[in-house]
Amino acid sequence: MLVRRNVISLAPALLAVVLLTAGCAGQDDTKSAPGKPSSPTPHGYVEGAAEAAEQQSRLLLADRGTGATRVLDLITGKVRETARRAGLTGLTTDGRFGYFQGADATHVLDSGAWTVDHGDHVHYYRAKIKDVGEFPVGTGSGIRSDTGVTVVTDADGKAGVHSRADLEKGTIGTPVELPGAYAGAVMPYAEHLTALRRDGKGPAKIDVLDRKGKRVASPEATCEAPRGDAVTRRGLVIGCADGALLVHEDDGDFTAERIPYGEDVPAKERATEFRHRAGSTTLTAPAGKDAVWVLDVTKRAWTRVETGPVVAANTAGEGSPLVVLETDGALHAYDIAGGKETAVTKPLLKDAPKAATGGQTAPVIEIDRSRAYVNDPAGKRVYEIDYNDDLRVARTFDLDVRPSLMVETGR
């Protein structure tokens, strides 16, 4: 079903770095003093980091049972042991920092891998892995970031805005506390903050705030039962009972556009948690037990792909297949437009049926421009999948812990 709304050898490596750096010439706002040469520092450079010619992907892994954590460097294949975190309940990332969530606190780890995107070109960096500190929020909190700030929203809807520069320097810093409480995580977007406000028992309304919490806009839109959000190149997507809201900024003006399913969808089949490739405008979410929603933000279109029983799903977008881990333990690839299954692996996860009921700690599919990664807690391994080659298993990483939580950084 498609519902549409009418209204992406050493010498070459060194050369690539030189070209990337040259592509930023003149983009730095800092002017050189008369008579002095321009600074050779690459635009977006962070002290202590090394620039690379390709994305420096790393996987952050955690064993909920023991609290053991690891960082798997996907460039070198090496695994580094990091500090044990007892009582882990979840793990998220913003592409660089990992947020290890516990009952009462969230530990922040700098993965030492990130990308600086200038639109027409990008820079890739790698640095040392380091502990940053803890946010005083635990289960039920939400953490959202952009290049300038990281916003921490607790389970009661209170939010604090942390300077990204502080985290990059290895400190938590002192946050700017936002007034009031919000219905869900406060989300940085377009150098502002987007928040959901609920007056009484009605649907949530959209507020756009400045970085200190002052309301600067309120697009005329409401969201019933908001759950799930994602920032894309086309705007900020928020999941609602009847589909999604797309919050978009254009020359300082903020609008909210509804992208409805087009029909009544039962609560248990709604899209409530989006997954996608960083930078993509194609989002995925389970549609109940036996299907997956795919939202093409550019076309403002939902597609429901009928699959087998779903454990996890993701796609790289832009013509790539929908990759689904099903309860048979195998990965399945589907053509999104036609819904036809195009490839399937042998069973990779033996306890996939049990994992399907694991909620936030169920296996996940992390995906980038060339590979997908699937964590196998029971097998103590991670699979690297070439989704463009009939789901070929490119590499298998054996571990000494059960990777029940996994995120990818460097994006």
Side-chain angles (χ1 to χ4, degrees):
M1 177 190 69
L2 177 63
V3 182
R4 294 189 182 277
R5 179 158 191 269
N6 296 320
V7 268
I8 149 173
S9 122
L10 181 59
L14 290 174
L15 176 59
V17 172
V18 170
L19 291 174
L20 284 172
T21 303
C24 283
Q27 293 186 22
D28 201 322
D29 293 333
T30 303
K31 303 296 183 181
S32 300
K36 291 185 178 181
S38 301
S39 170
T41 302
H43 189 60
Y45 173 77
V46 176
E47 186 175 358
E51 188 167 8
E54 61 181 334
Q55 182 172 300
Q56 301 299 292
S57 298
R58 292 172 176 173
L59 296 179
L60 306 188
L61 308 163
D63 185 332
R64 282 196 67 197
T66 66
T69 66
R70 301 287 187 269
V71 178
L72 169 57
D73 191 318
L74 295 170
I75 302 298
T76 65
K78 295 181 178 179
V79 179
R80 172 174 168 176
E81 180 177 351
T82 46
R84 188 176 298 273
R85 309 290 171 197
L88 288 174
T89 59
L91 173 60
T92 60
T93 187
D94 54 21
R96 172 174 177 175
F97 296 93
Y99 303 104
F100 294 81
Q101 190 176 65
D104 303 310
T106 297
H107 185 80
V108 184
L109 179 74
D110 186 345
S111 74
W114 67 94
T115 296
V116 177
D117 188 348
H118 294 306
D120 60 343
H121 68 284
V122 296
H123 294 274
Y124 305 110
Y125 294 103
R126 62 185 294 123
K128 292 181 179 179
I129 301 164
K130 59 186 178 183
D131 289 314
V132 177
E134 287 188 343
F135 293 137
V137 297
T139 303
S141 61
I143 300 174
R144 305 290 188 270
S145 302
D146 66 5
T147 58
V149 298
T150 293
V151 185
V152 180
T153 310
D154 67 20
D156 296 324
K158 293 284 189 177
V161 182
H162 291 258
S163 167
R164 183 78 169 186
D166 285 341
L167 298 185
E168 291 171 353
K169 293 175 183 176
T171 64
I172 292 296
T174 302
V176 174
E177 301 292 344
L178 300 185
Y182 301 96
V186 176
M187 300 154 282
Y189 169 64
E191 299 183 1
H192 289 73
L193 306 175
T194 301
L196 296 168
R197 168 175 49 90
R198 181 175 281 117
D199 297 329
K201 296 183 180 180
K205 298 179 181 179
I206 305 295
D207 281 342
V208 178
L209 317 173
D210 65 18
R211 293 291 162 104
K212 294 184 178 180
K214 179 182 177 181
R215 187 189 306 176
V216 298
S218 294
E220 294 184 4
T222 59
C223 182
E224 185 73 43
R227 283 189 66 186
D229 57 86
V231 175
T232 75
R233 293 184 182 275
R234 299 290 181 178
L236 169 64
V237 176
I238 302 172
C240 306
D242 62 350
L245 279 181
L246 175 64
V247 179
H248 177 68
E249 182 270 343
D250 184 13
D251 198 24
D253 293 328
F254 288 83
T255 58
E257 180 181 358
R258 195 172 300 280
I259 308 176
Y261 292 121
E263 63 180 38
D264 290 335
V265 175
K268 64 181 180 180
E269 296 181 9
R270 296 171 186 164
T272 59
E273 183 179 358
F274 297 108
R275 299 192 69 85
H276 68 301
R277 176 182 61 78
S280 171
T281 57
T282 305
L283 311 181
T284 67
K289 295 182 178 180
D290 302 304
V292 174
W293 285 113
V294 179
L295 173 58
D296 186 326
V297 180
T298 301
K299 295 180 180 179
R300 312 293 199 268
W302 290 95
T303 301
R304 181 185 171 104
V305 180
E306 301 296 334
T307 65
V310 178
V311 178
N314 211 334
T315 182
E318 301 173 359
S320 298
L322 171 66
V323 182
V324 183
L325 173 63
E326 301 184 10
T327 55
D328 60 1
L331 285 176
H332 299 250
Y334 294 88
D335 173 69
I336 295 174
K340 180 182 178 181
E341 183 178 272
T342 59
V344 62
T345 69
K346 66 179 182 181
L348 301 177
L349 278 69
K350 294 182 179 180
D351 63 345
K354 180 180 178 181
T357 62
Q360 190 176 13
T361 59
V364 297
I365 301 173
E366 289 287 308
I367 205 161
D368 56 36
R369 289 187 177 277
S370 61
R371 294 289 188 267
Y373 298 92
V374 183
N375 55 320
D376 177 9
K380 292 186 177 181
R381 61 177 66 94
V382 170
Y383 294 102
E384 180 182 73
I385 306 297
D386 186 346
Y387 54 82
N388 288 315
D389 188 13
D390 293 330
L391 302 179
R392 176 178 60 86
V393 177
R395 290 187 291 178
T396 300
F397 300 97
D398 293 316
L399 305 164
D400 62 342
V401 299
R402 294 170 58 95
S404 49
L405 301 171
M406 180 180 77
V407 295
E408 183 181 358
T409 66
R411 301 178 295 180

